[in-house]
Amino acid sequence: MDFDSLVRTSGEWLRGSGPESDIVISSRIRLARNLAQYPFLSRADDVVRSEIEAVIREKVEDLPFPGSTTYINVDGLTPLDRQFLVERQLISREHSESHGSRSVAFGREENLSVMVNEEDHIRMQVIRSGFSLDEAWDDINRIDDLIEAETSYAFSEQLGYLTACPTNVGTGIRASVMLHLPALVLTKEIQKVFQALQKISLAVRGLYGEGSQAMGDFYQISNQVTLGKSEEQIIDNIQEVVPNIIDYERRVRNALIRDNRSSLHDQIARAYGILKNAQTISSEETMHLLSSVRMGINLELIDDLEIATVNELFIHTQPAHLQKIRRAELESGERNAARASYLRQRLGGGIAEQN
Amino acid sequence: MDFDSLVRTSGEWLRGSGPESDIVISSRIRLARNLAQYPFLSRADDVVRSEIEAVIREKVEDLPFPGSTTYINVDGLTPLDRQFLVERQLISREHSESHGSRSVAFGREENLSVMVNEEDHIRMQVIRSGFSLDEAWDDINRIDDLIEAETSYAFSEQLGYLTACPTNVGTGIRASVMLHLPALVLTKEIQKVFQALQKISLAVRGLYGEGSQAMGDFYQISNQVTLGKSEEQIIDNIQEVVPNIIDYERRVRNALIRDNRSSLHDQIARAYGILKNAQTISSEETMHLLSSVRMGINLELIDDLEIATVNELFIHTQPAHLQKIRRAELESGERNAARASYLRQRLGGGIAEQN
């Protein structure tokens, strides 16, 4: 796998031009599936695991991934390469940290990826730019049908699709949208959103799943229930609530602009200035400042930068991406310097690099 | 008086090219004198005060100020114009806040100014760029002789020059140097300097005299004793100690560069980035950030900015200067926005002004 060429691109879903893309970064749907003739992975030994991987590989390689298909044996990767795929949102953290025969397939645009032998035999996901759950559902449904046409899924008439973890039984679906909510965070209104979502059984996570929340004001909202409802009902549930959150964020942004334009503009401009000039910067601070800059572009307080660039920087300034860009393993302090250097280069900033 | 034209220039002593000007901003000598035939001002009524002013004005207007001579009736100025002259270092805060007939004369280069009816009948001062006390002394000695040739000073064979406040009796001299000591402040070594200076009876003040200390890491070191020593001895006392402080600051700067180059460079670059991008900024933060940037230029970490520009910005971002530049009276919040706008314009920074 040529990771170096991946470093120079980014997923099509980061282009920042989908519906409501000022606030909705991306919409994602993943399905969990298992082959009927094999045991769940928790009960499969290495031989069976490899057999499952080989069987699925054959089906997956034939799938119509847009552009050329990349099929990667994850078990054969270095920890750095695995981390790179996690940052890229092509595999889950669990898939990276697991063991034994496992893989991932994706196309050039990175909108579709299929993990083999993650928690379930098959975890397929579609990511699209902006608020596009319907389109994501159409895409993944088609892929799911193509795989199902050639294989037999573990399925119960009573329960639906059977999965390794009971929380996924039924539809095996997780639908989510990644929202950028800086104004709600700034005004602490975000807590109200959390409470409302909890009441209707929707989960809130950070950019990279649980434990990463509050990073860069990104919140991933997803269903928790997979059983007893159809896929469409589950998706509709999210479809209905997200416009309210979008509206809430927009109203708070407008109120900030109306009542605190000067200090909001100042905060955004300083964030941009620091990103263009810093000589060393942590991942966390970068996310925080890029978040301000992203809002600044949407509020037309910054006019010389594209949303797509900022979206890409959120990914490209992650540790594994930086090391791939620099083609070297870097310690934390070196990464902070490399990150600052990369940001200056991409944002056309400040002081020329010394020494 | 055309203050508007003053706003577009700055004192020749700010040019930042005198000896040791990486650390010594300026050298200043002032002499306190009184006319023998008139009482001290504390015992002069308004009529006598006006008479003193008129007598001295006649002598002072004939002095060879470089360029055209400006003679200003300070009593007739608005508080804003008086504050402007204080920021400019052409008059003292006391002279600004005093009352009754009083004035100031200065030349186009602003190296020489003479205050009439400050605490004493005459307070003359010479300011020069860098570490140039000898030259300042030559200049002011010549001016003093010119005035003395046409008038009779209050003088006692036993005590020397007589002054309104006993602390000035004798020579009536105050010699001072303005030092920029960011590295000693950063490393807290500055306390040792204070203690050493106290032992040899030298005073330490901030940029605008007492109470302004620590603003922008500027420290003004001056003699406290005026009696029992000759002017040359008093000047020599400062001349001897200042090179040690300069050397100390330089050694600490070099140590910082050697041991903490990355974080020092980062701090300086961020300061520059904020100054070029902020939309609102206080005077205090401006001083603090400009101080970092000034050190950055001296350490060759910033190469697209002149020391003279930074020196000038310290003065031009003061409240009265900003109001003169904008030709409007501004509230504190408006000044902070005007200051940020002026800094962006002068430093060629960031986001174009919105609204």
Side-chain angles (χ1 to χ4, degrees):
Chain A
M1 171 59 209
D2 178 12
F3 282 89
D4 290 338
S5 70
L6 269 185
V7 164
R8 289 190 295 274
T9 64
S10 55
E12 189 275 340
W13 57 274
L14 281 167
R15 70 178 196 279
S17 58
E20 320 286 5
S21 61
D22 53 334
I23 290 168
V24 187
I25 305 285
S26 59
S27 301
R28 188 174 81 104
I29 297 183
R30 74 109 169 96
L31 298 177
R33 299 288 185 259
N34 290 274
L35 302 184
Q37 73 270 37
Y38 291 100
F40 286 140
L41 291 165
S42 55
R43 310 194 62 155
D45 62 20
D46 285 354
V47 176
V48 175
R49 217 183 148 91
S50 295
E51 202 179 315
I52 296 168
E53 200 274 328
V55 167
I56 299 174
R57 174 178 196 146
E58 207 181 305
K59 317 293 178 203
V60 165
E61 283 186 331
D62 290 342
L63 289 175
F65 289 98
S68 58
T69 303
T70 301
Y71 192 95
I72 297 175
N73 171 13
V74 173
D75 197 32
L77 296 179
T78 64
L80 181 62
D81 286 344
R82 294 203 303 269
Q83 178 60 26
F84 177 83
L85 293 176
V86 172
E87 293 174 1
R88 204 77 178 187
Q89 313 240 353
L90 288 168
I91 67 172
S92 64
R93 204 151 52 182
E94 293 70 21
H95 201 46
S96 165
E97 290 165 6
S98 174
H99 67 280
S101 180
R102 64 197 193 282
S103 51
V104 64
F106 53 88
R108 207 186 50 222
E109 295 192 340
E110 300 177 35
N111 280 352
L112 167 65
S113 74
V114 179
M115 286 184 280
V116 182
N117 289 353
E118 204 244 26
E119 188 178 84
D120 296 294
H121 298 162
I122 299 172
R123 285 275 180 104
M124 58 191 101
Q125 75 167 13
V126 166
I127 308 186
R128 293 187 68 118
S129 175
F131 189 32
S132 313
L133 281 175
D134 284 335
E135 292 77 0
W137 172 239
D138 290 346
D139 288 352
I140 205 156
N141 207 12
R142 199 170 55 244
I143 297 298
D144 188 36
D145 288 347
L146 288 172
I147 300 177
E148 198 164 17
E150 305 229 348
T151 179
S152 178
Y153 283 154
F155 186 82
S156 143
E157 283 300 331
Q158 197 193 340
L159 292 171
Y161 293 102
L162 302 177
T163 54
C165 176
T167 58
N168 291 311
V169 166
T171 55
I173 197 173
R174 169 155 284 160
S176 64
V177 288
M178 182 70 75
L179 302 173
H180 183 224
L181 305 173
L184 292 175
V185 172
L186 195 67
T187 56
K188 301 193 169 63
E189 297 288 310
I190 193 79
Q191 290 304 328
K192 293 185 193 161
V193 175
F194 290 169
Q195 284 159 17
L197 291 172
Q198 215 164 17
K199 280 188 193 154
I200 54 171
S201 297
L202 292 181
V204 185
R205 295 189 170 80
L207 190 55
Y208 288 101
E210 279 165 286
S212 63
Q213 81 201 72
M215 278 272 273
D217 307 324
F218 289 113
Y219 293 92
Q220 183 179 293
I221 291 166
S222 62
N223 63 300
Q224 288 183 307
V225 175
T226 58
L227 189 66
K229 285 184 179 176
S230 72
E231 289 86 345
E232 286 81 359
Q233 283 172 324
I234 288 167
I235 292 170
D236 282 352
N237 190 18
I238 297 179
Q239 296 265 44
E240 277 165 27
V241 71
V242 166
N244 295 323
I245 303 175
I246 293 173
D247 183 52
Y248 195 5
E249 168 71 18
R250 282 212 188 108
R251 275 186 290 124
V252 174
R253 285 186 190 184
N254 290 337
L256 284 172
I257 275 284
R258 193 182 58 235
D259 303 334
N260 292 296
R261 185 187 179 92
S262 163
S263 74
L264 184 69
H265 190 189
D266 185 52
Q267 181 201 312
I268 288 165
R270 284 168 181 245
Y272 197 22
I274 291 171
L275 287 169
K276 286 196 286 190
N277 286 278
Q279 301 293 315
T280 177
I281 191 164
S282 71
S283 175
E284 198 177 338
E285 187 184 5
T286 301
M287 297 283 274
H288 177 67
L289 297 178
L290 281 175
S291 174
S292 283
V293 166
R294 192 180 192 281
M295 177 163 62
I297 297 172
N298 286 324
L299 294 175
E300 296 178 357
L301 296 171
I302 293 178
D303 59 9
D304 63 350
L305 191 60
E306 302 289 325
I307 282 286
T309 304
V310 178
N311 285 354
E312 186 173 278
L313 287 174
F314 279 111
I315 306 293
H316 281 201
T317 56
Q318 300 287 330
H321 270 75
L322 284 175
Q323 293 174 80
K324 284 292 173 189
I325 290 165
R326 280 292 177 97
R327 297 165 189 268
E329 290 203 20
L330 304 173
E331 300 294 324
S332 166
E334 296 169 325
R335 287 203 301 272
N336 289 347
R339 183 176 293 114
S341 168
Y342 182 69
L343 284 165
R344 292 199 305 280
Q345 178 214 316
R346 290 295 304 271
L347 298 174
I351 305 173
E353 197 163 359
Q354 304 277 333
N355 62 61
Chain B
M1 171 57 207
D2 178 14
F3 281 89
D4 291 338
S5 71
L6 269 184
V7 164
R8 289 189 294 273
T9 65
S10 55
E12 190 274 343
W13 57 274
L14 282 166
R15 71 180 196 277
S17 59
E20 322 286 4
S21 60
D22 53 334
I23 290 168
V24 187
I25 305 284
S26 60
S27 301
R28 188 174 82 103
I29 297 182
R30 75 110 169 97
L31 299 177
R33 297 289 186 259
N34 290 276
L35 301 185
Q37 72 270 38
Y38 290 100
F40 287 141
L41 290 165
S42 56
R43 309 194 62 155
D45 61 20
D46 284 354
V47 175
V48 175
R49 218 182 147 90
S50 295
E51 199 179 320
I52 296 168
E53 200 274 329
V55 166
I56 299 173
R57 174 177 196 146
E58 205 181 308
K59 318 291 177 204
V60 166
E61 283 187 330
D62 289 342
L63 289 175
F65 289 98
S68 57
T69 304
T70 300
Y71 193 94
I72 297 177
N73 170 14
V74 173
D75 197 30
L77 296 180
T78 64
L80 181 62
D81 285 345
R82 295 203 302 269
Q83 179 59 24
F84 178 83
L85 294 176
V86 172
E87 292 174 3
R88 204 79 178 186
Q89 314 239 353
L90 288 168
I91 67 172
S92 64
R93 205 150 50 180
E94 293 71 20
H95 201 45
S96 164
E97 291 166 5
S98 174
H99 67 278
S101 180
R102 64 199 193 281
S103 50
V104 62
F106 53 88
R108 207 186 49 223
E109 295 192 340
E110 301 178 33
N111 280 353
L112 166 66
S113 73
V114 180
M115 285 183 281
V116 182
N117 288 356
E118 203 245 25
E119 188 178 86
D120 295 292
H121 298 162
I122 298 172
R123 285 276 178 103
M124 59 191 100
Q125 75 166 13
V126 166
I127 308 187
R128 293 187 68 117
S129 176
F131 189 31
S132 312
L133 280 175
D134 284 335
E135 292 78 0
W137 171 238
D138 290 346
D139 288 350
I140 205 156
N141 206 11
R142 200 170 53 246
I143 297 298
D144 187 37
D145 288 348
L146 287 172
I147 300 177
E148 196 163 19
E150 304 229 347
T151 180
S152 178
Y153 283 153
F155 186 82
S156 142
E157 282 301 330
Q158 197 192 341
L159 294 171
Y161 293 103
L162 302 177
T163 55
C165 176
T167 59
N168 291 311
V169 165
T171 56
I173 197 172
R174 169 155 283 160
S176 64
V177 288
M178 182 70 73
L179 301 174
H180 183 223
L181 305 174
L184 292 175
V185 172
L186 195 66
T187 56
K188 301 194 168 60
E189 297 287 310
I190 193 79
Q191 289 301 331
K192 292 186 194 161
V193 175
F194 290 168
Q195 283 158 18
L197 291 172
Q198 213 164 19
K199 278 187 196 156
I200 54 172
S201 296
L202 292 180
V204 184
R205 295 188 171 81
L207 190 55
Y208 289 101
E210 276 164 288
S212 63
Q213 83 201 68
M215 279 272 274
D217 306 324
F218 288 113
Y219 293 91
Q220 183 180 293
I221 291 165
S222 63
N223 64 299
Q224 288 183 307
V225 175
T226 58
L227 187 66
K229 286 184 177 176
S230 73
E231 288 86 345
E232 287 81 359
Q233 283 172 322
I234 289 167
I235 292 169
D236 282 353
N237 191 17
I238 298 179
Q239 296 264 44
E240 276 164 27
V241 71
V242 166
N244 295 322
I245 304 175
I246 294 173
D247 184 53
Y248 195 6
E249 168 71 18
R250 281 211 189 108
R251 276 186 289 123
V252 174
R253 287 185 188 185
N254 291 336
L256 284 172
I257 275 284
R258 193 180 60 235
D259 304 333
N260 292 297
R261 185 189 178 91
S262 164
S263 73
L264 185 69
H265 190 187
D266 185 51
Q267 182 202 310
I268 288 165
R270 284 169 181 245
Y272 198 21
I274 291 171
L275 287 170
K276 285 196 286 190
N277 286 278
Q279 301 292 316
T280 175
I281 191 164
S282 70
S283 176
E284 198 175 341
E285 187 183 6
T286 301
M287 297 284 275
H288 178 67
L289 298 177
L290 282 174
S291 174
S292 283
V293 165
R294 192 179 193 280
M295 177 163 63
I297 298 172
N298 286 323
L299 293 174
E300 296 177 358
L301 296 172
I302 292 177
D303 59 9
D304 63 351
L305 190 61
E306 303 289 327
I307 282 287
T309 303
V310 179
N311 286 354
E312 187 173 276
L313 286 176
F314 279 110
I315 306 293
H316 281 200
T317 56
Q318 300 287 331
H321 271 74
L322 284 175
Q323 294 175 78
K324 284 291 174 190
I325 289 165
R326 282 292 177 98
R327 299 167 187 265
E329 289 203 21
L330 304 173
E331 299 295 322
S332 166
E334 296 169 325
R335 287 202 302 272
N336 289 347
R339 184 177 293 113
S341 168
Y342 183 69
L343 285 164
R344 291 199 307 279
Q345 177 214 318
R346 291 295 305 268
L347 298 173
I351 306 174
E353 196 160 359
Q354 304 278 336
N355 72 57

